[in-house]
Amino acid sequence: LQNDHKALMKQVEEALHQLHAREKEKHARDEAEALAEAMNRTQSLPQAFAKVNAVTPGSPASISGLQVDDEIVEFGSVNANNFQSLQNIATVVQHSEGRPLSVTVIRSGKKVHVGLTPKRWAGKGLLG
């Protein structure tokens, strides 16, 4: 009986080692896939050309939901491919006063669309 018990316990122990080894491999594979997927998502985000460093409370930019640290990838017709200077954005804003503009930003690693209508308000400029 003792020999049977030892042999049976050895089989159980080996089976447990195999089970845990397979589980460890599966976990490593899952982590690698998740990392690869995250890298693909990051790489598929469009190129930002400007970053929001201030938003005045009560301004058109604030009302639209624009936030500090948003990275701008599209501002109306301006994008990373045709952006040369902030004057490009100023021109789009002046020509769009009172009309909604489509603004796309990257916020916390995600692409977010914001509808922004440049207009006169109590503060300086048309955006704030």
Side-chain angles (χ1 to χ4, degrees):
L1 283 173
Q2 282 294 330
N3 288 344
D4 289 345
H5 185 305
K6 282 183 182 178
L8 187 57
M9 289 307 290
K10 185 168 176 61
Q11 287 178 335
V12 168
E13 184 181 355
E14 288 173 2
L16 281 171
H17 283 297
Q18 289 174 356
L19 177 70
H20 287 292
R22 277 197 306 265
E23 198 61 36
K24 195 172 183 180
E25 286 174 13
K26 182 182 181 298
H27 182 71
R29 258 194 324 272
D30 289 347
E31 276 188 350
E33 285 176 16
L35 182 62
E37 189 176 314
M39 293 294 284
N40 285 341
R41 245 194 333 265
T42 302
Q43 291 171 351
S44 68
L45 288 174
Q47 178 70 37
F49 61 84
K51 186 174 187 175
V52 177
N53 61 8
V55 177
T56 307
S59 67
S62 173
I63 292 166
S64 75
L66 212 55
Q67 297 177 5
V68 171
D69 291 332
D70 281 351
E71 296 179 354
I72 301 172
V73 295
E74 277 183 9
F75 194 97
S77 60
V78 180
N79 59 41
N81 296 327
N82 62 13
F83 175 78
Q84 293 166 349
S85 71
L86 290 178
Q87 185 59 45
N88 298 124
I89 290 178
T91 302
V92 169
V93 168
Q94 288 170 351
H95 291 300
S96 301
E97 184 177 351
R99 292 194 305 261
L101 274 174
S102 175
V103 178
T104 305
V105 299
I106 296 174
R107 180 181 300 155
S108 303
K110 295 186 177 90
K111 198 165 143 181
V112 178
H113 295 284
V114 176
L116 173 61
T117 303
K119 60 184 173 191
R120 302 208 181 275
W121 62 294
K124 191 176 174 187
L126 297 174
L127 294 179

